[in-house]
């Protein structure tokens, strides 16, 4: 096997729909972030020079550390580093597309994330605002990319703060969350009690407690018997756990005893896409699921994903199972096939090799789908967005997030221009000549406080939404400046006073023709 173009420490490796392997992120021998992804195929490597994007892999928030990458249902690679969401295109020289920013709830490489259904991701714990040494997060979100563009939704909080947790998708499609503690690799409020998240109710429930805290370097891995091995963690630091525990989920029990399981008979485990496979079984079959074998380290399992399979029980003790129809939802590789009975008890898994070149003894394989080109995000969601400073025409000072805060509710003010990210805003097109302003440092948007329609209502930053109090119509002003009229109130962004001093509040006011304190240059 040939060498990569770059040495990499802590990169993500993943299988692409065509069976090639993508390596992304990491740092080199000098601890410099490696921005250019590479693809391995048949003993050789090629570099995706067009996919080198410093907003995705950088020292900021350790974005180079195991990028959270998945194959999306459209065949592109979707990923998250820090608070940045993106698409990575792997055809030709490659390319990237920034797809928005995560709210300050759960982010950074100290969080855990898993694709619990095709195109649907659960992320939990880690950092709230990007400071990985601060108090950890108990929050959770889902990110849905099934439409071709990410949609972020809040999830009920977990019971514990979890820095360096593990998230493991189970045979029934639920997600087990284990380990972590309140602060980065410190044995403070260690979360030994596990929680299970249900994708239908979107709720967590507390389950059994482990005997040992599991923190940095810990792992959790689904086993073929449907239990979960949880091990390691804490080194270097407060613990050196050279051990593991086995967690037996509730679905394995009938009261205080192990439940009777369905069984899977012998069949051809070399399977292709679109195959319809006849499989013998014992007991009864109410669900058939496919879970990709795990490859876990540092709170990140790049391989695992879950698929619900269609099936039809036959009258002769067999069941016809339909394997996935696309490598975009189940990339080539090894999977655990589970049968579950009416009580939700899973079988022991059969390990299946899914490959576009394999046909079964009852069905024909399909060739992998080609890599699609870039997918345009749907209207009316914000797209793209060039980064600018907003300079008040009357004072020559910049619009600024007070104290470079990362918090919801932080005041928007004017201040001497200093080139910091707290004074840079991504101006995003929301359609029909309207824009919103997303701060580069915090990822939050300029917002009229409490949806007020009154003169003097202050501007703050808040988690970005599609609210009209974050959307403004952009109009031309004097000397190539712009003014911004908020859609919910028809009032304009205005520097209070007008005042030329630092720390002057930015608020909304009746729009006044030619008012220099309502007009801003985009630098």
């Amino acid at each position: 096997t040939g060498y990569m173009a770059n040495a990499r420490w802590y990169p993500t490796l993943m299988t692409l729909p065509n069976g090639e392997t993508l390596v992304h992120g990491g740092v080199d021998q000098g601890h410099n972030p490696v921005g250019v992804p590479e693809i391995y195929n048949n003993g050789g490597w090629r570099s995706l020079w067009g996919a080198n994007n410093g907003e995705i892999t950088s020292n900021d928030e350790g974005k180079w550390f195991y990028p959270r990458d998945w194959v999306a249902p459209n065949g592109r690679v979707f990923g998250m580093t820090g608070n940045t969401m993106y698409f990575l295109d792997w055809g030709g020289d490659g390319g990237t597309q920034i797809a928005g920013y995560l709210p300050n709830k759960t982010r950074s490489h100290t969080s855990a994330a898993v694709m619990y259904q095709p195109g649907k991701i659960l992320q939990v714990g880690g950092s709230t605002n990007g400071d990985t040494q601060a108090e950890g997060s108990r929050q959770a979100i889902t990110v849905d990319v099934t439409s071709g563009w990410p949609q972020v939704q809040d999830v009920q909080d977990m019971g514990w703060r979890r820095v360096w947790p593990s998230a493991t998708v189970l045979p029934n499609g639920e997600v087990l969350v284990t380990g972590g503690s309140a602060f980065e690799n410190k044995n403070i409020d260690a979360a030994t009690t596990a929680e299970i998240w249900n994708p239908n109710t979107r709720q967590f429930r507390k389950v059994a407690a482990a005997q040992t805290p599991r923190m940095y370097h810990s792992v959790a891995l689904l086993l073929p018997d449907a239990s979960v091995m949880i091990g390691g963690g804490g080194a270097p630091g407060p613990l050196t756990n050279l051990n593991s525990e086995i967690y037996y989920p509730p679905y394995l029990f009938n009261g205080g005893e192990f439940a009777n399981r369905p069984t899977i008979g012998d069949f051809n485990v070399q399977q292709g896409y679109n195959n319809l496979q006849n499989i013998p079984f014992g007991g009864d079959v109410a669900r058939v699921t496919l879970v990709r074998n795990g490859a876990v380290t540092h709170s990140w399992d790049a391989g695992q994903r879950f698929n619900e399979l269609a099936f039809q029980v036959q009258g002769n003790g067999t069941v016809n199972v339909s394997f996935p129809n696309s490598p975009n939802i189940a990339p080539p590789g090894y999977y655990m096939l589970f049968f579950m009975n009416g009580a939700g008890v899973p079988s022991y898994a059969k390990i299946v090799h899914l490959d576009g070149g394999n046909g079964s003894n009852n069905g024909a394989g399909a060739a992998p789908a080609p890599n699609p080109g870039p997918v345009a995000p749907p209207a009316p969601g914000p797209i793209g967005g060039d980064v600018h400073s907003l300079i008040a025409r009357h004072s020559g000072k910049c619009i600024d997030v007070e104290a470079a805060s990362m918090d919801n509710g932080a005041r928007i003010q004017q201040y001497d221009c200093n080139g910091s990210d707290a004074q840079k805003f991504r101006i995003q097109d929301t359609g029909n000549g309207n824009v919103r302003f997303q701060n580069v440092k915090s990822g939050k948007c300029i917002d009229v406080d409490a949806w007020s329609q009154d003169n003097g209502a202050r501007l703050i930053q808040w988690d970005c939404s599609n609210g009209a109090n974050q959307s403004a119509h952009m109009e031309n002003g004097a000397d190539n400046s712009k003014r911004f009229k908020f859609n919910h109130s028809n009032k304009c962004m205005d520097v209070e006073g007008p005042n030329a001093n630092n720390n002057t509040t930015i608020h909304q006011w009746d729009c006044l023709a030619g008012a220099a304190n309502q007009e801003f240059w985009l630098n």
Side-chain angles (χ1 to χ4, degrees):
T1 300
Y3 289 106
M4 294 184 293
N6 297 281
R8 296 176 189 263
W9 192 20
Y10 301 120
T12 288
L13 280 85
M14 60 178 296
T15 303
L16 295 170
N18 65 353
E20 294 180 329
T21 301
L22 173 73
V23 58
H24 184 208
V27 289
D28 63 16
Q29 302 97 318
H31 216 75
N32 302 302
V34 180
V36 179
E38 298 179 62
I39 287 181
Y40 174 78
N41 184 29
N42 292 329
W45 295 87
R46 64 182 175 92
S47 296
L48 300 181
W49 300 107
N52 184 2
N53 189 324
E55 191 171 351
I56 294 172
T57 49
S58 69
N59 278 320
D60 181 30
E61 205 175 323
K63 288 184 174 181
W64 49 264
F65 194 108
Y66 291 117
R68 273 54 171 155
D69 289 340
W70 298 267
V71 176
N74 61 12
R76 304 177 82 188
V77 171
F78 171 76
M80 302 185 293
T81 57
N83 71 334
T84 303
M85 298 184 290
Y86 56 88
F87 286 99
L88 189 156
D89 294 303
W90 44 273
D93 289 334
T96 60
Q97 182 181 18
I98 300 301
Y101 299 89
L102 297 173
N104 282 343
K105 294 180 179 295
T106 163
R107 55 191 267 197
S108 87
H109 53 274
T110 59
S111 65
V114 60
M115 186 172 276
Y116 64 91
Q117 291 174 8
K120 297 181 179 182
I121 297 156
L122 173 72
Q123 180 155 295
V124 300
S127 169
T128 300
N129 59 13
D131 182 354
T132 57
Q133 300 305 305
E135 180 182 359
S137 170
R138 68 175 74 236
Q139 299 182 77
I141 58 172
T142 56
V143 183
D144 186 339
V145 295
T146 55
S147 69
W149 198 253
Q151 305 295 321
V152 179
Q153 287 186 290
D154 292 344
V155 171
Q156 171 206 29
D157 287 356
M158 298 180 292
W160 287 266
R161 297 162 292 179
R162 295 183 186 266
V163 179
W164 296 114
S166 293
T168 308
V169 67
L170 299 174
N172 63 359
E174 294 185 316
V175 177
L176 173 70
V177 179
T178 54
S181 62
F183 290 88
E184 205 274 330
N185 206 32
K186 292 181 172 63
N187 196 4
I188 300 173
D189 194 19
T192 54
T193 299
E195 299 179 71
I196 290 179
W197 182 75
N198 184 293
N200 296 319
T201 65
R202 298 178 64 82
Q203 302 289 308
F204 288 97
R205 66 183 187 275
K206 301 171 186 176
V207 288
Q211 297 181 17
T212 305
R214 304 290 175 180
M215 293 173 281
Y216 182 59
H217 280 135
S218 63
V219 298
L221 190 67
L222 178 67
L223 300 179
D225 69 351
S227 68
V228 180
M229 183 188 74
I230 301 164
L239 299 169
T240 301
N241 288 328
L242 305 179
N243 54 61
S244 62
E245 301 173 65
I246 301 295
Y247 172 66
Y248 296 96
Y251 52 54
L252 292 176
F253 294 92
N254 181 7
E257 304 292 330
F258 281 111
N260 292 325
R261 297 177 182 246
T263 59
I264 304 177
D266 292 333
F267 67 100
N268 181 4
V269 295
Q270 301 293 327
Q271 289 293 319
Y273 297 99
N274 284 322
N275 280 353
L276 181 67
Q277 176 66 53
N278 183 257
I279 302 174
F281 71 93
D284 69 284
V285 177
R287 288 180 75 185
V288 178
T289 63
L290 196 66
V291 182
R292 189 177 177 92
N293 290 7
V296 60
T297 183
H298 292 81
S299 292
W300 171 232
D301 191 331
Q304 65 173 339
R305 55 171 60 212
F306 173 89
N307 281 266
E308 190 94 29
L309 301 187
F311 68 96
Q312 187 172 22
V313 176
Q314 306 300 295
N316 58 354
T318 66
V319 58
N320 286 341
V321 174
S322 298
F323 280 86
N325 62 6
S326 170
N328 294 347
I329 63 171
Y334 290 91
Y335 290 78
M336 288 181 278
L337 178 72
F338 290 96
F339 287 180
M340 277 174 281
N341 63 22
V345 181
S347 65
Y348 287 87
K350 287 282 190 179
I351 306 297
V352 174
H353 183 220
L354 190 59
D355 183 352
N358 285 325
S360 77
N361 59 356
N362 187 10
N371 175 34
V375 175
I383 61 174
D386 293 330
V387 174
H388 295 276
S389 297
L390 279 67
I391 302 173
R393 188 167 70 84
H394 78 294
S395 66
K397 296 182 184 291
C398 281
I399 302 301
D400 175 282
V401 178
E402 186 176 25
S405 174
M406 304 287 288
D407 297 334
N408 280 335
R411 186 172 66 102
I412 305 299
Q413 62 179 10
Q414 78 172 0
Y415 204 85
D416 290 332
C417 297
N418 55 34
S420 70
D421 284 349
Q423 295 184 352
K424 295 177 182 177
F425 295 86
R426 190 176 299 278
I427 300 181
Q428 298 177 319
D429 180 4
T430 59
N432 299 318
N434 298 314
V435 296
R436 72 177 184 187
F437 310 89
Q438 184 174 46
N439 185 253
V440 168
K441 180 174 177 62
S442 68
K444 297 181 182 294
C445 284
I446 291 180
D447 177 291
V448 179
D449 195 12
W451 282 71
S452 174
Q453 298 194 27
D454 297 336
N455 280 336
R458 66 176 188 158
L459 302 191
I460 60 173
Q461 71 173 5
W462 202 264
D463 291 334
C464 296
S465 70
N466 291 323
N469 66 323
Q470 292 187 0
S471 179
H473 192 72
M474 185 165 62
E475 302 174 346
N476 292 326
D479 298 328
N480 295 315
S481 65
K482 301 291 182 183
R483 77 172 184 179
F484 304 101
K485 181 187 293 185
F486 288 102
N487 286 315
H488 77 295
S489 64
N490 284 324
K491 297 184 185 294
C492 281
M493 184 184 297
D494 178 288
V495 181
E496 187 178 36
N499 195 319
N501 295 333
N502 284 340
N503 305 116
T504 300
T505 294
I506 311 300
H507 61 189
Q508 70 175 6
W509 202 266
D510 291 332
C511 298
L512 304 171
N517 66 318
Q518 292 185 351
E519 295 178 347
F520 303 87
W521 288 299
L522 305 184
N523 186 25

